Amino acid sequence: MADKGTAAAMIEVARKEVGYVEGPKDNETKYGAFTKVNFSPWCGSFLMWCANQAGVKIPNTVYTPNGVAAFKKAKTWANAADAHPQPGDLVYFSFVPAATPSSPVQHVGLVVKDNGDGTITTIEGNTTRDGAKGSQDNGGECALKIRGYKVNNKRHIWSSVVGFGRPDYSDVAEANPTAPAPAKAIPAFPGPIKPGDKGENVKLIQHALTLVEDGDYGPATKKAVVAFQDNHDILDSNGIVGPKTWDALMKTAL
């Protein structure tokens, strides 16, 4: 497991909860039991539980507006339009048309990564899986999501993000979520990668697509690559990772 107190530990704990479903009663969860507000909407309780498991201290965000107020007071808050979200940021949503910094906060999740196209990958409690019908802020399960935080994002996903708060992680020097992350080198293109291939390069692709990193280029990986190629206007959406697809994937992963 990642070191306690780190953003990596927070994400690792949250990932293991993906697929958790409330019940048997409405809003009944182990997360609500932990925060002593069981049977109430639990997106904030989910993050409080994850933080406790990961050895991370976060503001009390069971009631999401209180979490926003705490991050603003600590000056570790950024409105969506100004932010450069980082893994481990808490992201706050308002599911109203054209969310703005003054919109009522209704939901909170955890940033896994910035996808580099105006969207983020998140893990959220009490929501509904992408592609399934149900409430976004009271859907009853933990899910991995793709959310738009820029209004004109390349995936044309509705922007519902109000802003981001940055917990005081022990492994992150830059505590300000508005600060851009340091640039990283993109791994050199290793040659075409196609279905049936195996190895570390496949793992890099799977990491960029937030898939299980087993190093085996199977049908699920191909489907995700084709969708990525479609979303990034890459001419040949055939599932073969050529230099353009590789470059776009690696930029997404950084």
Side-chain angles (χ1 to χ4, degrees):
M1 180 175 173
D3 291 340
K4 289 277 189 177
T6 63
M10 183 74 168
I11 293 170
E12 185 174 324
V13 169
R15 277 189 182 277
K16 292 178 181 178
E17 299 303 304
V18 171
Y20 179 97
V21 178
E22 69 180 30
K25 295 181 180 179
D26 186 39
N27 284 321
E28 180 179 5
T29 66
K30 61 184 179 183
Y31 318 119
F34 168 74
T35 57
K36 297 181 171 54
V37 289
N38 216 357
F39 311 107
S40 298
W42 49 274
C43 59
S45 291
F46 165 66
L47 292 178
M48 298 297 292
W49 182 92
C50 289
N52 182 70
Q53 294 289 310
V56 173
K57 185 176 181 180
I58 65 173
N60 189 329
T61 196
V62 171
Y63 178 58
T64 51
N66 285 352
V68 172
F71 281 118
K72 287 182 176 179
K73 183 177 180 180
K75 301 188 185 304
T76 54
W77 171 265
N79 293 330
D82 305 317
H84 298 272
Q86 302 170 48
D89 284 351
L90 270 58
V91 51
Y92 291 83
F93 302 91
S94 183
F95 298 109
V96 298
T100 69
S102 61
S103 296
V105 175
Q106 300 167 304
H107 184 66
V108 63
L110 178 69
V111 175
V112 176
K113 69 173 182 177
D114 184 345
N115 297 320
D117 57 3
T119 71
I120 48 175
T121 299
T122 65
I123 299 172
E124 300 167 26
N126 204 19
T127 190
T128 302
R129 287 167 292 163
D130 283 346
K133 293 182 179 180
S135 173
Q136 293 300 303
D137 61 342
N138 197 18
E141 66 178 300
C142 292
L144 193 69
K145 306 280 291 182
I146 303 292
R147 298 287 197 185
Y149 75 95
K150 296 293 187 184
V151 174
N152 297 316
N153 63 78
K154 293 182 180 179
R155 301 193 195 196
H156 307 293
I157 297 174
W158 172 40
S159 176
S160 53
V161 174
V162 175
F164 301 85
R166 184 70 182 174
D168 186 15
Y169 292 116
S170 63
D171 61 334
V172 179
E174 65 276 13
N176 184 350
T178 67
K184 296 182 181 179
I186 295 174
F189 177 57
I193 303 170
K194 58 188 182 303
D197 288 347
K198 302 180 186 294
E200 293 302 315
N201 291 323
V202 176
K203 286 185 179 181
L204 287 175
I205 293 168
Q206 291 169 328
H207 175 75
L209 296 168
T210 66
L211 302 173
V212 175
E213 297 172 33
D214 60 6
D216 186 356
Y217 195 136
T221 300
K222 180 180 179 180
K223 182 179 179 180
V225 168
V226 169
F228 180 88
Q229 290 172 324
D230 286 339
N231 287 331
H232 287 74
D233 298 322
I234 294 172
L235 185 60
D236 296 322
S237 299
N238 54 12
I240 297 175
V241 178
K244 290 184 179 180
T245 303
W246 175 266
D247 186 63
L249 281 166
M250 294 306 105
K251 286 179 179 177
T252 296
L254 294 181

